[in-house]
């Protein structure tokens, strides 16, 4: 199947690697996808790994520069009359810094990628002249850090909390046409977590902290599939924690 | 190496560090500083080191040598 004039798309941001890539591969047999990332070559590689590659499009855009996201997406939408029915915002960035070293550049980068881009995309997709009221489903890939603290992660925690605040507000404002939810993954085996996983001490602690062990991208893709489906038709405004039990584990040893 | 020293000084919350300075002698060289250093080396120099690698590092200059070695 190739790109169709009347089959609406699902936009997956941050699809070049890790969780976003796993989500794209999982959704690709049944949905026409727009794969977003920074690097066109890497996106093309993901598209080729998808089921039915000709059915999907790529949209390279650097979310670190948030002021261009809305206009870039509006231009891009000009070429796809079928519009976008689903948004999965998976693009994310982590700066590990002591709170006292969190300079404005790192603050803005974290906010722009993790939160502002999601807000700007959602706003753009809600404009009738851009997307013809096609949007039905919004999913933000947040983090269990949205509801907790971790030393050195103040920017990540704050930006993910902002994302979840937006999620609840949109869920109320956009009902009943659009459902809006977020998924809060724990530690997943991805390039983002690679440095931490290479550290035997951190790995040993994670083995203790995660009752079900570390997760895989596919575990998040399964939750995405569910929340995008009609099986979740009465679920909106929710944070779905998918963390192998990490956030409820209070074991001392 | 000047820029590198500034980045380490920033993590350690001191005005400046010199090559011969011993990392463990700094009050702020704790697990969070180690984590920050690892993240900084990844972001600024594109190299992946672990906390285990850092255990054998004594001075700022030794850390710089490790960065140079990993870059090659």
């Amino acid at each position: 199947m190739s790109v169709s004039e009347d089959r609406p798309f699902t936009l997956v941001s941050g699809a070049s690697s890790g969780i976003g890539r796993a989500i794209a591969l999982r959704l690709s047999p049944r949905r026409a996808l727009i794969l977003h990332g920074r690097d066109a070559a890497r996106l093309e590689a993901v598209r080729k790994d998808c089921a039915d590659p000709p059915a999907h499009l790529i949209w390279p855009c650097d979310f670190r520069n948030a002021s261009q996201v809305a206009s870039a997406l509006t231009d891009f939408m000009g070429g796809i009359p079928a519009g976008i029915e689903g948004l999965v915002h998976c693009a994310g960035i982590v700066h590990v810094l002591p709170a006292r070293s969190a300079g404005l550049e790192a603050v803005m980068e974290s906010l722009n990628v993790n939160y502002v881009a999601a807000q700007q995309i959602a706003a753009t997709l809600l404009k009738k002249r851009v997307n013809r009221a096609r949007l039905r489903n919004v999913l933000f890939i947040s983090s269990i850090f949205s509801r907790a603290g971790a030393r050195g992660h103040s920017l990540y925690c704050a930006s993910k909390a902002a994302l979840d605040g937006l999620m609840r507000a949109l869920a109320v404002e956009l009902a009943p046409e659009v459902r809006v939810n977020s998924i809060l993954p724990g530690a997943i085996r991805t390039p983002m977590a690679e440095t931490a996983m290479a550290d035997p001490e951190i790995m040993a602690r994670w083995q203790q902290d995660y009752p079900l062990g570390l997760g895989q991208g596919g575990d998040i893709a399964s939750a995405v599939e569910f929340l995008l489906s009609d099986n979740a038709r009465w679920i909106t405004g929710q944070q779905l924690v998918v963390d192998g039990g990490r956030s409820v584990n209070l074991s001392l040893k | 190496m000047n820029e590198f020293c500034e980045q380490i000084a920033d993590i350690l919350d001191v005005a400046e560090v010199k090559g011969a300075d011993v990392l463990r002698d700094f009050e702020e060289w704790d697990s969070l500083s180690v984590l920050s250093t690892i993240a900084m080396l990844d972001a600024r120099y594109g190299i992946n080191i672990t906390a285990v690698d850092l255990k054998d590092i004594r001075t700022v200059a030794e850390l710089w040598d490790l960065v140079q070695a990993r870059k090659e």
Side-chain angles (χ1 to χ4, degrees):
Chain A
M1 204 186 302
S2 59
V3 171
S4 143
E5 291 265 310
D6 46 49
R7 188 185 182 207
F9 285 87
T10 299
L11 169 59
V12 180
S13 76
S16 326
S17 70
I19 296 174
R21 181 176 182 278
I23 292 169
L25 298 188
R26 178 72 66 86
L27 298 180
S28 62
R30 276 177 297 279
R31 285 171 179 266
L33 302 178
I34 294 165
L35 308 170
H36 159 271
R38 259 184 284 175
D39 186 301
R42 291 174 66 196
L43 288 173
E44 273 301 342
V46 175
R47 192 168 73 97
K48 290 204 176 74
D49 289 340
C50 282
D52 192 15
H56 314 298
L57 302 172
I58 67 164
W59 176 46
C61 182
D62 191 343
F63 288 170
R64 289 176 299 184
N65 177 6
S67 61
Q68 55 155 11
V69 173
S71 59
L73 182 58
T74 303
D75 291 348
F76 184 82
M77 296 291 291
I80 45 170
I84 290 179
E85 64 174 354
L87 163 63
V88 183
H89 183 70
C90 191
I93 192 168
V94 183
H95 289 287
V96 181
L97 291 167
R100 62 176 147 73
S101 305
L104 193 60
E105 194 187 338
V107 173
M108 294 318 296
E109 229 177 71
S110 297
L111 277 177
N112 283 345
V113 176
N114 296 350
Y115 162 70
V116 179
Q119 185 279 326
Q120 289 287 292
I121 292 169
T124 303
L125 295 182
L126 289 166
K127 292 192 197 315
K128 282 207 184 74
R129 62 182 168 76
V130 178
N131 197 32
R132 295 164 204 82
R134 291 277 158 76
L135 192 63
R136 291 291 169 270
N137 225 308
V138 175
L139 269 183
F140 295 151
I141 306 303
S142 178
S143 164
I144 51 173
F145 284 42
S146 164
R147 307 212 287 206
R151 298 198 309 140
H153 287 76
S154 58
L155 302 183
Y156 191 67
C157 292
S159 61
K160 291 298 192 181
L163 184 65
D164 284 340
L166 174 67
M167 178 274 292
R168 283 183 286 263
L170 290 180
V172 173
E173 183 166 333
L174 306 182
E177 288 83 9
V178 188
R179 292 191 297 106
V180 188
N181 293 286
S182 60
I183 293 171
L184 280 57
I188 299 286
R189 295 173 179 275
T190 65
M192 199 192 254
E194 197 181 345
T195 317
M197 287 188 317
D199 188 326
E201 273 180 28
I202 296 182
M203 267 313 261
R205 208 171 58 231
W206 277 358
Q207 306 289 5
Q208 278 195 348
D209 289 346
Y210 284 80
L212 298 183
L214 290 195
Q216 296 172 356
D219 296 319
I220 305 308
S222 298
V224 168
E225 248 185 333
F226 166 66
L227 285 172
L228 288 181
S229 78
D230 284 342
N231 288 331
R233 62 168 287 274
W234 208 45
I235 301 177
T236 196
Q238 302 304 308
Q239 297 173 310
L240 176 56
V241 177
V242 183
D243 71 347
R246 167 69 180 96
S247 55
V248 295
N249 183 9
L250 297 181
S251 303
L252 297 177
K253 278 209 168 167
Chain B
M1 187 174 164
N2 278 348
E3 198 191 343
F4 178 74
C5 284
E6 281 172 26
Q7 289 154 350
I8 296 296
D10 188 42
I11 289 173
L12 295 173
D13 199 17
V14 292
E16 59 167 7
V17 297
K18 296 191 173 64
D21 288 344
V22 176
L23 291 165
R24 242 156 261 160
D25 289 350
F26 289 92
E27 190 191 343
E28 296 285 348
W29 185 249
D30 56 9
S31 61
L32 181 52
S33 292
V34 170
L35 212 59
S36 309
T37 303
I38 292 169
M40 185 273 286
L41 294 177
D42 181 28
R44 300 291 175 96
Y45 299 91
I47 59 167
N48 279 323
I49 63 161
T50 67
V52 176
D53 296 326
L54 281 178
K55 276 207 177 109
D56 302 326
I57 299 294
R58 230 173 50 86
T59 65
V60 175
E62 284 176 32
L63 181 55
W64 176 244
D65 290 342
L66 177 69
V67 171
Q68 295 306 307
R70 290 294 172 91
K71 273 207 294 195
E72 282 150 19

